[in-house]
Amino acid sequence: MNRIKIEKKYQIALNDLISSLRDSGFLNDYNVENAFRNIPRHEFVQTSELDRAYYNEPLSIMKNQTISQPGVVSRMTEWLDIKNGQKILEIGTGSAWQTAILSYLAGTGTVYSVERHPELVKFARENLEKFKLDNTHVILGDGSLGYPQASPYDRIIITAACTEIPLPLLEQLSENGLIIAPVGDSSQSLVLLKKTSGGIVKIKNESHYVFVPLLGKFGKKV
Ligand code: SAM
């Protein structure tokens, strides 16, 4: 991985963001904090949004999509409990900021990330290239189908709202694997599920999140 030197103004803003996420209980894991420090968010936003890169807010990228809010990224990443060497599937690459954080935590593992907009696939690949994260693969396609070619996955994260978790994704999760997704209509709950030998078990959930919709065959119809 290529370490990027962070300019002082961004470093101050990043420190403030980390303190406020810690104070509000959205950042508790030292490894996730390290990922936030090593994968600076301003490298994943559009130039017009640079001044707001460390606000705890989603920001527009392109194609009417958003880079997720830092507090949501820290919450989902912490719940996923990623271990070195794991194979991870992400649905909804967007800017690839979350992808890069997953890649950092997976270490010797691999991250597959599926995005439906070609423009965002290009943007995501360019952003990842700056860090030389060679354990990531960004794939153009309908993520509601998952990515069966590399399954099963130890962890799956869906970064767009689904009314129910697409069945192909549950099928592509390994036994003892975890999957996290925002589930609901206009407002969603973050839901963390585990696949056990006896079936799918809910581990925890938290309400009042709002994501852009997951489109596609097993998502909202385009
Ligand atoms: N986590 C991303 C980041 O850090 O920039 C933001 C993800 S954004 C909230 C949700 C993404 O899901 C959008 O880029 C959208 O195009 C994508 N998406 C929606 N439906 C999809 C589908 N069926 N397959 C792949 N990507 C999809």
Side-chain angles (χ1 to χ4, degrees):
M1 178 192 157
N2 197 15
R3 276 180 197 277
I4 290 190
K5 188 163 169 19
I6 307 182
E7 269 177 68
K8 195 169 175 192
K9 67 171 178 176
Y10 292 126
Q11 188 62 62
I12 293 168
L14 172 60
N15 288 344
D16 288 348
L17 172 67
I18 285 176
S19 300
S20 85
L21 292 177
R22 273 207 214 118
D23 292 347
S24 56
F26 277 82
L27 185 56
N28 309 289
D29 181 330
Y30 184 67
N31 292 328
V32 177
E33 178 179 327
N34 258 343
F36 269 53
R37 292 194 181 283
N38 282 286
I39 311 288
R41 191 180 190 234
H42 71 270
E43 298 288 351
F44 294 82
V45 303
Q46 293 200 287
T47 317
S48 56
E49 301 282 19
L50 273 173
D51 288 346
R52 296 152 58 86
Y54 293 99
Y55 287 13
N56 188 18
E57 290 175 3
L59 301 172
S60 346
I61 36 178
M62 49 186 84
K63 306 305 290 181
N64 283 329
Q65 303 301 320
T66 52
I67 177 171
S68 303
Q69 184 174 346
V72 175
V73 171
S74 57
R75 175 68 96 230
M76 292 180 88
T77 308
E78 288 194 358
W79 280 16
L80 262 189
D81 188 26
I82 293 158
K83 311 276 192 240
N84 184 36
Q86 287 185 326
K87 189 168 27 159
I88 302 171
L89 176 64
E90 177 188 38
I91 306 304
T93 320
S95 69
W97 182 47
Q98 171 81 75
T99 320
I101 287 174
L102 297 170
S103 150
Y104 179 89
L105 292 167
T108 59
T110 312
V111 181
Y112 295 86
S113 185
V114 186
E115 170 58 53
R116 63 184 290 274
H117 285 295
E119 295 86 342
L120 285 173
V121 168
K122 182 169 177 287
F123 182 54
R125 286 182 180 152
E126 286 166 0
N127 291 339
L128 291 171
E129 180 55 30
K130 298 181 214 170
F131 293 84
K132 304 272 177 245
L133 293 168
D134 46 17
N135 64 344
T136 57
H137 302 276
V138 178
I139 298 132
L140 174 65
D142 176 2
S144 76
L145 302 167
Y147 187 61
Q149 293 89 323
S151 68
Y153 301 96
D154 302 302
R155 301 287 186 265
I156 299 180
I157 175 169
I158 309 176
T159 69
C162 28
T163 41
E164 54 186 47
I165 296 184
L167 195 57
L169 294 175
L170 294 174
E171 287 168 354
Q172 290 166 35
L173 186 62
S174 61
E175 196 172 314
N176 293 319
L178 297 172
I179 180 167
I180 190 164
V183 181
D185 292 321
S186 53
S187 159
Q188 301 95 42
S189 287
L190 279 187
V191 179
L192 180 72
L193 306 175
K194 182 173 185 175
K195 190 175 197 173
T196 70
S197 54
I200 301 289
V201 176
K202 180 150 86 179
I203 306 294
K204 52 185 160 182
N205 70 299
E206 186 172 67
S207 51
H208 303 308
Y209 287 87
V210 178
F211 283 73
V212 294
L214 179 81
L215 305 176
K217 184 168 180 197
F218 290 86
K220 195 171 164 183
K221 299 291 169 290
V222 188

